[in-house]
Amino acid sequence: MPAPADQPPPPEAPAQPEARVPRWLWALLVLAPLLAYASALQNGFVSDDNPVIRDGRLIGSLRNLPKLFLHDALFNSLHGEALAAGMMVDTYRPLPLATFFVEHALFGLWPLPYPATSVLLHALNVLLLFLVGRRLSLPLPAA
């Protein structure tokens, strides 16, 4: 039988308390990617770091930062030679290149900050993904 119109609706059931995340789990979430990528800190510039960071035609000035969001930003490292030769390099990664710009402005060609930033961003992404899992009400092991 429905409640009369002059009576307030019944109170809602209290929400289930959210399980607290143990401190050791937070520590594990941060330490796992830090330990996994720690060896990158001792490598200096490797692979495409030399042409992109050391020899890149755009990276020397923060005024060029908006140019990274153009599709041919990879040609920053190829000095346009690939474009002139008709090579198709379909690698669009403006955000990593933007971090290189800022690191170059702050630290020049000192190689340590470049992988350190990458490792810290990996750890931050692990935390963000965990928080998304928790927000979706996944149990701790699934989050």
Side-chain angles (χ1 to χ4, degrees):
M1 174 176 266
D6 59 345
Q7 290 185 354
E12 293 183 26
Q16 294 295 325
E18 205 173 292
R20 282 186 50 91
V21 178
R23 287 185 184 177
W24 65 265
L25 183 55
W26 287 113
L28 179 66
L29 290 171
V30 172
L31 287 175
L34 293 180
L35 292 174
Y37 291 103
S39 65
L41 300 176
Q42 56 191 320
N43 292 335
F45 291 131
V46 296
S47 188
D48 66 343
D49 293 341
N50 289 312
V52 172
I53 297 169
R54 284 191 358 180
D55 304 328
R57 65 182 162 83
L58 297 176
I59 205 165
S61 172
L62 285 174
R63 287 181 302 179
N64 292 327
L65 190 59
K67 293 179 183 177
L68 289 183
F69 295 93
L70 301 174
H71 191 275
D72 72 343
L74 182 66
F75 296 115
N76 163 59
S77 62
L78 300 174
H79 302 284
E81 294 137 10
L83 185 60
M87 285 177 28
M88 294 302 298
V89 179
D90 196 15
T91 306
Y92 181 65
R93 33 181 215 164
L95 296 179
L97 288 174
T99 64
F100 296 161
F101 262 69
V102 173
E103 291 160 337
H104 189 274
L106 294 173
F107 306 108
L109 293 176
W110 180 35
L112 180 65
Y114 295 87
T117 301
S118 179
V119 170
L120 290 175
L121 287 173
H122 277 79
L124 179 63
N125 283 328
V126 167
L127 291 176
L128 289 174
L129 187 60
F130 176 76
L131 290 172
V132 166
R134 294 300 291 152
R135 181 75 174 172
L136 293 172
S137 301
L138 297 177
L140 281 177

